[in-house]
């Protein structure tokens, strides 16, 4: 299966919503603690196991996350550790990039999510404890959501309701927001430890998953969040990122500081469906292709990006 | 990363991302200078960090390579520093300075770099590492990260001078503190602090109080409060970080972010504060600007949970497919329309917030009123609530604060109190405490059970509830009375009360199968899987025929799959037993396998075609699996069998709303409400349908619950 080597430590990987073979990778030097960053846009070759780099963008600080625009096939946004968000257009000549640098967050930007239903806006989660809402046609953010009491690590739009999103924070809560409302609609004190990631089920707009430093993943029904619908145990260290499958209702993929990528079916008793231990360092980025059922990608601090078909060995040549 | 790119600026400056150097005048020069050696360097660079040498001597022996380890790190800043350590290549490059390369370099640096333009603040915090130190730093950070797995504590190590700027140090300190808490999650706080301190002291970074706290659970509100009370609020600047860190040191873990709140409560007593507040509320009504949600915050933390909880319980799974298409948020909104925006504020308050938030609000309000009474602020900052109350009363007495639209505020507050009472009641119910109605006319009735049964049969469910309550007050051990009361509540659309009543019935008669089944169904409606499984399993255990199937040891740890398997076995044992199929249908609802649930209910209906509640279950399941048209047929069957079945009328309305037939749905809601005007859910759904059908003219009758008018307008 194809492997791509990045000069810096991988931080995030995302499939393009327009081209089934295209991915964006966020990387940061020195584990994102100090140094530069780079966004790679890479293309899988249909015939050979080689991944080609289409273009790369360098940044003056680490890149923690990337998100593809849902409206323009060549546009992507990058979360930079210096608190800025940079907008790149891969179709434009290098001197035109970045298209924009949006600097409002006071601290590291750690998570981004592009609105999949409205397609015109995106959210940023920052270590300044806030979430901001942006559109590309404005130089300043539309709104700032301040309620979390510690770093916000990730944000996720609801797949059905264009105004609803969730945020995961180190204050041990997931909050549900409606951008039309002044404050959060719901607070889920989901874990005993920091929550690093959250995502909505793509088939049931009431189900949300949270991943925590406490090693567990919990599935919640927002109509009744006193008890989780399901708790997935099996990671040996903090769970860094989770994603619901765009193709299978009950499937979740996760990656962890235990260096593995795991697949789960949260509706069955033995929830762990698969475990991939191809990374030799913390696995911090994972994604599932919307366009190809079962196509997965992961990246980690071992400076490698793997792309493979579910059920296959990511390391198999 | 290669030397070529380093010089051409592929990574460095004006043309980020350029893969060809032709656009850069320096490119050709660099190509000529470096030539093919760049390829070698590229390969060297591909040695993963994991394989990086670990001793100082090795770092320095790889001096040339270390230059390649600098990809892009020179962005936006001078290329070399006076403390650059001995790379031949770099020295060579520097010698070019005299030949004009430096000028060209300077030019590149001056080019309007977008990053730079947008990001003036980014430039000064660029890493100023030259080759070898960069490698040293990288390796050292790697051993820091690695120590999370080995569990071997990192020891402070003397490192060569790295030339880190203040900004670099701050980045390292802040980010390593935050990240360490992710990958050392298993370790104690002391261990984590020791690790971070070892890292920082090796890099000669002071871990002083100016650091952005290494402790999760910084307390924003405190920070803001502190800023405001000190009058040095600088918007955007995190000037209070040092103070926050200091504060954080007293709160060892983020669980303790409430410590401040608690100590405040201990000092002043939460309830006494609240009651003091209530005493003062007459005066408070004169300030509509004062945000009630925040005022009530301290006393309201618990109630916030309850109300949130109430919100969640109203979302019955039978309503899973939301009536107002594409807007479940409005549905939540509907839940607290009564309180208006004021209640919104209240609901949105978070658990972590303590009175300090209120302090903020208040301080802000005062600023808005331009009453910068410093002494007051100081007084206040000491948190002398008593003083505050006096002071405040004083101010009110002087008429300093605005007094417009005080009635609105007072009304809102009354509504809020009512809602709190309601929330409290519902919360009691959800915790299994049955809440009796006030003023029950059936108390003292000679045979309330018989009366209740009669009323139930007639479909006068709200009346039946009262009669049956009178019965169980008279005979608290009457399981049948409690059971009937539970069923009445369930049919009347109140699952929380149904559960509470059924639990009393189960206390009185722990093995009553109907009670166990009803509890299982009600908990399924409330999406409480564990509880539902417990009762459904109990049903199996106590069933004379299937009891043998249930191994007693299973009761301790019930898994959905086990219970489903047992019931499938039971169904094979006696395929003609409708009850087993009903339970299976309920179970499949729990696991959201609606197709199987529908099949089970249909099987049961073949055996029990006259069970109206079974038709309703089928309908609800079909609605849940987005077959609203089929659902309507099933509900119609239920209503043919029992014309005064409130729940089926309301469900019918939901199914019509789901299909976008709002006008039709309104008629069914109104019909259901005519039979049970207390069905709060139905009122909310009616309101949604009215707005969706653009019948805003009828919203007022809906809000005032004017059934007469609504029935006239929407006859069925």
């Amino acid at each position: 299966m194809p492997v791509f080597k990045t000069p810096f430590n991988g931080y995030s990987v995302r499939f393009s919503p327009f081209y089934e073979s295209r991915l964006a990778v966020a990387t940061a030097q020195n584990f994102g603690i100090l140094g530069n960053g780079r966004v790679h846009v890479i293309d899988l070759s249909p015939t050979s196991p080689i991944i080609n780099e289409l273009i790369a963008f360098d940044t003056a600080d680490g890149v923690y996350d990337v998100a593809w625009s849902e409206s323009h096939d060549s546009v992507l946004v990058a979360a930079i550790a210096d608190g800025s968000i940079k907008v790149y257009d891969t179709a434009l000549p290098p001197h035109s990039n970045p298209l924009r640098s949006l600097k409002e967050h006071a601290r590291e930007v750690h998570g981004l999510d592009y609105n999949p239903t409205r397609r015109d806006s995106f959210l940023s989660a920052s270590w300044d404890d806030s979430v901001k809402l942006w559109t590309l046609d404005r130089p300043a953010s539309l709104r700032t959501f301040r309620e979390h009491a510690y770093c916000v690590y990730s944000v996720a739009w609801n797949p059905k309701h264009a105004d609803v999103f969730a945020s995961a924070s180190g204050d041990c809560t997931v909050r549900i927001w409606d951008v039309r409302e002044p404050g959060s609609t719901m607070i889920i004190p989901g874990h005993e430890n920091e929550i690093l990631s959250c995502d909505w089920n793509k088939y049931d707009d009431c189900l949300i998953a949270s991943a925590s430093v406490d090693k567990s993943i919990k599935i919640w029904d927002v109509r009744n969040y006193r008890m989780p619908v399901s708790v997935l145990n099996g990671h040996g260290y903090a769970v860094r990122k989770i994603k619901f499958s765009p193709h299978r209702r009950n499937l979740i993929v996760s990656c962890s500081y235990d260096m593995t990528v795991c697949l789960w079916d949260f509706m069955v008793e033995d929830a762990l469906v698969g475990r991939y231990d191809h990374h030799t360092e913390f696995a911090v980025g994972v994604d599932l292709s919307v366009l190809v059922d079962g196509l997965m990608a992961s990246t980690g601090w071992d400076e490698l990006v793997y792309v493979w078909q579910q059920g296959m060995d990511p390391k198999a040549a | 990363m290669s030397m070529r790119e380093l010089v051409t600026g592929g990574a460095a400056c004006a043309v980020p991302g350029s893969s060809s150097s032709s656009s850069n005048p320096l490119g050709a020069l660099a190509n000529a200078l470096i030539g093919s050696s760049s390829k070698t360097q590229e390969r060297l660079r591909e040695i993963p960090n994991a394989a990086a040498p670990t001793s100082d001597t090795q770092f320095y022996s790889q001096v040339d390579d270390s230059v390649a380890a600098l990809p892009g790190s020179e962005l936006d800043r001078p290329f070399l520093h006076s403390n650059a350590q001995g790379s031949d290549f770099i020295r060579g490059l520097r010698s070019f300075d005299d030949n004009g390369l430096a000028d060209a370099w300077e030019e590149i640096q001056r080019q309007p770099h977008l990053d730079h333009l947008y990001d003036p603040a980014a430039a000064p915090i660029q890493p100023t590492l030259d080759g070898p130190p960069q490698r040293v730093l990288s390796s050292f950070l790697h051993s820091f990260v690695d120590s999370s797995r080995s569990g071997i504590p990192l020891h402070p190590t003397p490192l060569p001078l790295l030339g880190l700027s203040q900004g670099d140090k701050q980045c390292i300190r802040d980010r390593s503190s935050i990240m360490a808490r992710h990958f050392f999650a298993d370790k104690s706080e002391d261990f984590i602090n020791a690790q971070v301190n070892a890292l920082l002291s090796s890099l000669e970074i002071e871990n002083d109080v100016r650091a952005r706290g290494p402790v999760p659970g910084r307390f924003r509100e405190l920070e803001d409060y502190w800023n405001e009370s000190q009058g040095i609020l600088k918007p955007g600047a995190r000037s209070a970080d040092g103070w926050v860190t200091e504060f954080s040191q007293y709160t060892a873990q983020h669980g303790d972010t409430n410590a401040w709140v608690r100590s405040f409560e201990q000092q002043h007593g939460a309830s006494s504060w609240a009651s003091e507040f209530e005493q003062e509320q007459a005066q408070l009504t004169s300030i509509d600007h004062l945000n009630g949600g925040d005022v009530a915050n301290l006393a309201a933390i618990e109630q916030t949970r309850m109300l949130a909880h109430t919100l969640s319980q109203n979302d019955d799974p039978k309503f899973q497919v939301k009536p107002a298409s594409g807007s479940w948020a409005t549905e939540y909104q509907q839940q607290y329309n009564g309180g208006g925006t004021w209640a919104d504020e209240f609901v949105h308050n978070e658990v972590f917030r303590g009175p300090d938030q209120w302090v903020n609000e208040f301080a802000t309000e005062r600023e808005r009123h331009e009453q910068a009474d410093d002494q007051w602020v100081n007084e206040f900052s000491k948190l002398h609530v008593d003083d505050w109350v006096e002071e405040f009363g004083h101010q009110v007495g002087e008429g300093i604060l605005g007094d417009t639209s005080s009635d609105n505020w007072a009304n809102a507050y009354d509504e809020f109190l009512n809602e709190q009472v309601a929330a409290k009641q519902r919360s009691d119910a959800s915790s299994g405490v049955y809440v009796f109605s006030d003023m029950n006319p059936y108390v003292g009735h000679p045979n309330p059970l018989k009366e209740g049964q009669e009323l139930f049969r007639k479909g006068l469910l709200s009346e039946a509830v009262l009669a049956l309550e009178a019965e169980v007050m008279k005979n608290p051990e009457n399981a049948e009375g409690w059971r009937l009361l539970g069923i009445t509540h369930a049919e009347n659309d109140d699952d929380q009360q149904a559960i509470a009543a059924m639990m009393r019935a189960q206390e009185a008669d722990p093995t009553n199968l109907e009670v166990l089944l009803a509890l299982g169904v009600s908990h399924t409606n409330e999406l409480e899987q564990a509880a539902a499984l417990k009762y459904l399993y109990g049903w199996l255990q106590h069933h004379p025929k299937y009891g043998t199937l249930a191994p007693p040891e299973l009761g301790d740890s019930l898994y959905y799959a086990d219970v489903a398997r047992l019931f499938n076995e039971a169904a094979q044992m006696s395929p003609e037993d409708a009850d087993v199929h009903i339970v299976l249908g309920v179970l499949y609802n729990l696991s959201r396998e609606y197709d199987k649930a529908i099949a089970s209910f249909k099987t049961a209906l073949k055996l029990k075609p006259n069970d109206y509640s079974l038709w309703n279950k089928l309908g609800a399941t079909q609605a849940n699996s987005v077959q609203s048209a089929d659902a309507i047929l099933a509900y119609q069957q239920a209503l043919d069998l029992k014309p005064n079945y409130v729940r089926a009328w309301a469900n019918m309305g939901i199914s019509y709303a789901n299909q976008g037939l709002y006008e039709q749905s309104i008629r069914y809601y109104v019909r259901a409400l005519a039979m049970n005007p207390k069905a709060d859910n139905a009122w909310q759904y009616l309101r949604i349908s009215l707005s969706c059908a653009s019948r805003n003219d009828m919203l007022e009758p809906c809000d005032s619950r004017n059934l007469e008018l609504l029935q006239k307008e929407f006859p069925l």
Side-chain angles (χ1 to χ4, degrees):
Chain A
M1 292 288 122
V3 182
F4 180 73
K5 176 82 180 68
T6 57
F8 301 154
N9 305 107
Y11 249 83
S12 175
V13 61
R14 300 263 193 140
F15 282 98
S16 158
F18 293 96
Y19 304 104
E20 57 182 50
S21 62
R22 190 159 300 170
L23 298 97
V25 185
T27 65
Q29 204 173 9
N30 291 322
F31 317 105
I33 293 177
L34 185 71
N36 299 301
R38 186 176 294 174
V39 177
H40 302 266
V41 177
I42 56 177
D43 229 352
L44 308 171
S45 154
T47 49
S48 76
I50 293 171
I51 297 182
N52 298 311
E53 181 177 279
L54 293 178
I55 196 168
F57 303 107
D58 283 282
T59 56
D61 208 336
V63 189
Y64 287 171
D65 200 9
V66 280
W68 286 99
S69 161
E70 296 279 349
S71 58
H72 295 90
D73 60 355
S74 61
V75 173
L76 56 97
V77 287
I80 318 294
D82 64 10
S84 68
I85 296 156
K86 304 226 186 282
V87 184
Y88 296 99
D89 188 338
T90 59
L92 290 180
H95 62 262
S96 309
N97 273 310
L99 278 183
R100 242 197 204 122
S101 180
L102 308 163
K103 180 81 174 81
E104 281 187 26
H105 283 297
R107 297 186 51 86
E108 291 81 352
V109 185
H110 196 262
L112 294 169
D113 198 35
Y114 220 98
N115 193 314
T117 37
R118 283 179 59 102
R119 296 166 186 264
D120 61 348
S121 52
F122 64 94
L123 289 163
S124 59
S126 164
W127 289 4
D128 69 5
D129 308 357
S130 74
V131 172
K132 283 176 186 280
L133 174 68
W134 310 82
T135 60
L136 288 185
D137 53 6
R138 281 165 188 255
S141 64
L142 295 172
R143 263 200 73 183
T144 303
F145 304 88
R146 285 186 201 284
E147 268 184 38
H148 281 296
Y150 193 59
C151 304
V152 189
Y153 295 111
S154 107
V155 273
W157 288 105
N158 188 291
K160 232 190 199 154
H161 306 281
D163 299 301
V164 175
F165 70 92
S167 58
S169 160
D171 68 8
C172 307
T173 66
V174 167
R175 277 161 209 260
I176 316 287
W177 310 76
D178 185 315
V179 295
R180 297 163 296 190
E181 299 292 322
S184 63
T185 317
M186 189 177 289
I187 302 160
I188 306 177
H191 294 262
E192 292 300 307
N193 213 324
E194 294 190 54
I195 304 177
L196 300 181
S197 181
C198 60
D199 195 27
W200 294 92
N201 190 292
K202 310 301 176 223
Y203 292 83
D204 184 336
D205 55 341
C206 291
L207 283 183
I208 187 166
S210 59
S212 167
V213 172
D214 71 12
K215 306 175 195 170
S216 73
I217 298 164
K218 292 183 183 177
I219 318 294
W220 307 87
D221 189 313
V222 293
R223 292 161 302 183
N224 183 341
Y225 55 88
R226 280 164 288 176
M227 289 273 287
V229 173
S230 177
V231 180
L232 311 177
N233 290 307
H235 275 301
Y237 279 93
V239 186
R240 175 54 184 272
K241 210 164 273 176
I242 39 168
K243 267 271 155 75
F244 272 104
S245 163
H247 297 279
R248 282 147 214 264
R249 185 185 176 281
N250 297 342
L251 197 70
I252 295 183
V253 67
S254 63
C255 62
S256 159
Y257 285 115
D258 70 6
M259 306 197 278
T260 68
V261 171
C262 285
L263 272 174
W264 312 81
D265 180 334
F266 69 89
M267 284 310 294
V268 303
E269 194 183 320
D270 296 318
L272 186 61
V273 176
R275 186 191 288 274
Y276 300 95
D277 58 357
H278 49 290
H279 282 291
T280 55
E281 274 287 345
F282 298 154
V284 294
V286 73
D287 199 20
L288 296 170
S289 169
V290 179
L291 301 172
V292 183
D293 186 6
L295 192 63
M296 313 166 68
S298 70
T299 187
W301 286 7
D302 57 6
E303 303 168 352
L304 292 170
V305 180
Y306 289 89
V307 183
W308 75 100
Q309 192 67 33
Q310 184 194 332
M312 310 279 273
D313 178 3
K315 281 190 289 192
Chain B
M1 175 53 56
S2 66
M3 283 312 305
R4 186 197 312 277
E5 281 174 65
L6 189 69
V7 180
T8 59
C13 30
V15 283
S18 161
S19 53
S20 110
S21 50
S22 59
S23 63
N24 187 328
L26 259 179
L29 175 59
N31 282 344
L33 283 175
I34 301 159
S36 57
S37 72
S38 63
K39 289 214 157 54
T40 323
Q41 304 251 358
E42 204 162 338
R43 230 172 285 128
L44 279 174
R45 176 59 199 146
E46 282 176 17
I47 298 166
N49 262 343
T54 48
S55 82
D56 286 1
T57 45
Q58 275 171 297
F59 297 149
Y60 285 99
S61 70
Q62 299 204 354
V63 152
D64 286 341
D65 179 31
S66 64
V67 178
L70 262 174
S73 65
E74 67 288 352
L75 265 179
D76 295 343
R77 67 183 168 78
F79 182 56
L80 282 173
H81 260 249
S82 49
N83 65 348
Q85 312 234 348
S87 157
D88 283 343
F89 174 77
I90 288 174
R91 257 184 247 116
L93 192 63
R94 292 184 89 185
S95 70
F96 275 104
D97 284 4
D98 304 329
N99 299 332
L101 185 60
D103 295 341
W105 183 259
E106 287 301 313
E107 199 182 305
I108 292 167
Q109 296 279 304
R110 276 196 302 272
Q111 282 194 21
H113 187 253
L114 277 170
D115 268 19
H116 210 126
L117 285 180
Y118 280 102
D119 247 345
I125 60 159
Q126 282 321 294
T128 51
L129 309 177
D130 57 274
Q134 154 71 1
R135 198 58 183 258
V136 173
L137 179 71
S138 178
S139 254
F140 190 66
L141 289 174
H142 193 269
S143 57
F144 170 69
V145 168
D146 228 19
S147 62
S148 68
R149 288 190 293 274
S150 57
I152 302 162
L154 189 73
H155 291 294
T157 320
L159 294 174
L161 196 63
L162 294 173
L164 296 169
S165 74
Q166 213 45 49
D168 296 339
K169 290 181 174 184
Q170 197 185 325
C171 276
I172 295 176
R173 182 178 53 217
D174 295 352
R175 292 177 189 170
S176 63
S177 305
I178 289 171
M179 291 179 188
R181 275 161 182 81
H182 301 165
F183 42 78
F184 296 123
D186 267 354
K187 309 292 195 300
S188 70
E189 190 68 17
D190 288 344
F191 180 88
I192 296 173
N193 285 332
Q195 289 290 100
V196 174
N197 283 332
L199 172 80
L200 297 183
S201 69
S202 303
L203 294 170
E204 294 181 323
I205 300 171
E206 305 120 72
N207 192 13
D208 58 13
V209 289
R210 293 200 45 75
R212 163 85 174 200
V215 179
R218 301 179 333 275
F219 219 51
R220 164 182 303 290
E221 286 81 5
L222 276 177
E223 186 178 319
D224 291 348
Y225 162 64
W226 189 79
N227 282 336
E228 286 184 19
S229 66
Q230 298 293 313
I232 55 153
L233 183 65
K234 294 176 197 151
R238 316 275 306 179
S239 54
D241 279 356
W243 183 85
V244 170
T245 312
E246 214 161 58
F247 171 77
S248 313
Q249 283 167 353
Y250 294 101
T251 62
Q253 284 172 337
H254 44 285
D256 279 339
T257 46
N258 286 327
W260 192 86
V261 179
R262 279 200 294 273
S263 72
F264 179 82
E265 286 182 3
Q266 274 162 16
Q267 243 176 302
H268 304 286
S271 52
S272 75
W273 189 89
S275 63
E276 245 159 13
F277 166 68
E278 272 166 43
Q279 282 166 21
E280 295 299 322
Q281 57 167 289
Q283 290 166 307
L284 283 172
T285 49
S286 63
I287 25 159
D288 62 308
H289 297 290
L290 193 56
N291 188 316
D294 292 309
V295 170
N297 212 325
L298 177 61
I301 290 172
E302 191 48 35
Q303 278 92 335
T304 306
R305 287 203 195 99
M306 290 176 184
L307 193 51
H309 160 88
T310 311
L311 298 186
S312 66
Q313 44 170 263
N314 283 340
D315 280 316
D316 203 312
K318 66 191 179 298
F319 297 146
Q320 260 186 6
V321 184
K322 300 303 172 195
S325 57
S327 172
W328 58 255
T330 40
E331 198 173 311
Y332 283 105
Q333 187 61 30
Q334 298 293 332
Q335 309 281 354
Y336 38 87
N337 264 340
T341 54
W342 190 86
D344 286 3
E345 282 292 330
F346 168 70
V347 172
H348 292 144
N349 280 321
E350 51 180 305
V351 177
F352 282 135
R353 282 194 191 166
D356 48 290
Q357 167 66 15
W358 176 82
V359 171
N360 284 345
E361 262 321 294
F362 190 80
T364 316
E365 286 301 326
R366 280 191 41 79
E367 275 176 19
R368 242 180 267 165
H369 285 276
E370 297 186 335
Q371 297 293 326
D373 182 342
D374 285 344
Q375 207 199 327
W376 185 89
V377 172
N378 291 341
E379 193 95 11
F380 190 80
S381 66
K382 289 183 216 153
L383 299 167
H384 289 163
V385 170
D386 292 349
D387 291 355
W388 175 79
V389 170
E390 274 172 35
E391 193 71 34
F392 189 75
H394 189 61
Q395 305 241 353
V396 170
E398 288 177 351
I400 288 166
L401 300 161
D403 61 349
T404 49
S405 50
S406 54
D407 289 347
N408 287 349
W409 194 85
N411 292 342
Y413 189 74
D414 285 344
E415 275 179 51
F416 162 70
L417 285 181
N418 290 339
E419 214 160 283
Q420 271 189 319
V421 170
K424 175 91 174 67
Q425 282 181 355
R426 285 187 236 180
S427 163
D428 281 350
S430 75
S431 58
V433 180
Y434 188 86
V435 181
F436 286 98
S437 315
D438 293 335
M439 315 274 288
N440 189 337
Y442 293 92
V443 172
H445 192 282
N447 192 350
L449 180 62
K450 192 159 180 299
E451 183 70 30
Q453 284 166 327
E454 186 62 21
L455 288 165
F456 177 78
R457 205 182 49 74
K458 286 186 194 154
L460 300 168
L461 296 176
S462 301
E463 284 293 297
V465 163
L466 292 173
L468 291 166
E469 281 183 1
E471 166 65 24
V472 296
M473 279 195 267
K474 204 165 98 183
N475 303 313
E477 296 307 309
N478 183 353
E480 180 59 16
W482 281 112
R483 187 186 73 84
L484 206 52
L485 183 55
I487 287 177
T488 313
H489 275 301
E491 294 201 359
N492 214 8
D493 232 3
D494 189 341
D495 274 304
Q496 288 299 329
Q497 283 280 74
I499 288 172
M502 284 297 182
M503 281 169 75
R504 293 295 297 267
Q506 202 222 356
E507 264 172 48
D509 180 1
T511 60
N512 186 309
L513 295 178
E514 285 175 82
V515 170
L516 289 167
L517 180 56
L519 276 168
V521 172
S522 282
H523 282 292
T524 304
N525 279 342
E526 295 291 292
L527 298 168
E528 292 166 336
Q529 183 174 17
L533 285 177
K534 188 177 102 184
Y535 291 112
L536 294 176
Y537 180 75
W539 184 90
L540 196 72
Q541 240 180 342
H542 295 109
H543 198 283
K545 210 149 102 195
Y546 314 120
T548 48
L549 284 174
E553 71 277 3
L554 201 62
D556 301 330
S557 54
L558 282 174
Y559 283 108
Y560 168 79
D562 291 331
V563 180
R565 179 174 49 78
L566 290 174
F567 274 98
N568 271 312
E569 282 174 26
Q572 277 170 4
M573 232 168 97
S574 43
E576 74 295 342
D577 186 344
D579 286 350
V580 176
H581 294 287
I582 294 172
V583 178
L584 266 174
V586 173
L587 276 170
Y588 287 131
N589 263 293
L590 262 187
S591 62
R592 298 156 192 267
E593 296 168 90
Y594 298 119
D595 292 346
K596 286 186 187 176
I598 290 168
S600 295
F601 286 138
K602 282 186 172 164
T603 311
L605 276 167
K606 277 183 198 137
L607 302 161
K608 259 188 178 181
N610 293 325
D611 185 336
Y612 58 88
S613 79
L614 192 45
W615 282 108
N616 183 57
K617 286 189 182 76
L618 175 65
T621 311
Q622 284 168 329
N624 282 342
S625 73
V626 206
Q627 305 172 10
S628 291
D630 293 346
I632 284 173
L633 296 178
Y635 293 139
Q636 194 55 60
Q637 291 281 354
L639 288 172
D640 288 348
L641 290 164
K642 183 168 182 172
N644 46 22
Y645 190 8
V646 176
R647 197 163 190 145
W649 286 110
N651 284 348
M652 194 85 130
I654 291 167
S655 280
Y656 278 115
N658 281 338
Q659 297 177 74
L661 304 168
Y662 298 110
E663 186 85 15
Q664 197 72 355
S665 77
I666 292 168
R667 296 176 198 282
Y668 283 91
Y669 291 140
V670 170
R671 178 66 176 265
L673 286 165
M675 284 183 274
N676 177 19
K678 287 182 191 166
D680 291 343
N681 288 347
W683 281 109
Q684 282 151 9
Y685 289 114
L686 172 62
R687 200 173 198 286
I688 293 169
S689 275
L690 284 170
S691 17
C692 290
S694 304
R695 291 304 303 265
N696 293 342
D697 56 314
M698 295 310 283
L699 286 179
E700 198 284 317
C702 172
D703 291 342
S704 59
R705 304 203 166 183
N706 186 344
L707 266 172
E708 208 178 314
L709 188 59
L710 287 165
Q711 277 178 289
K712 207 190 275 173
E713 189 72 23
F714 302 105
L716 193 63

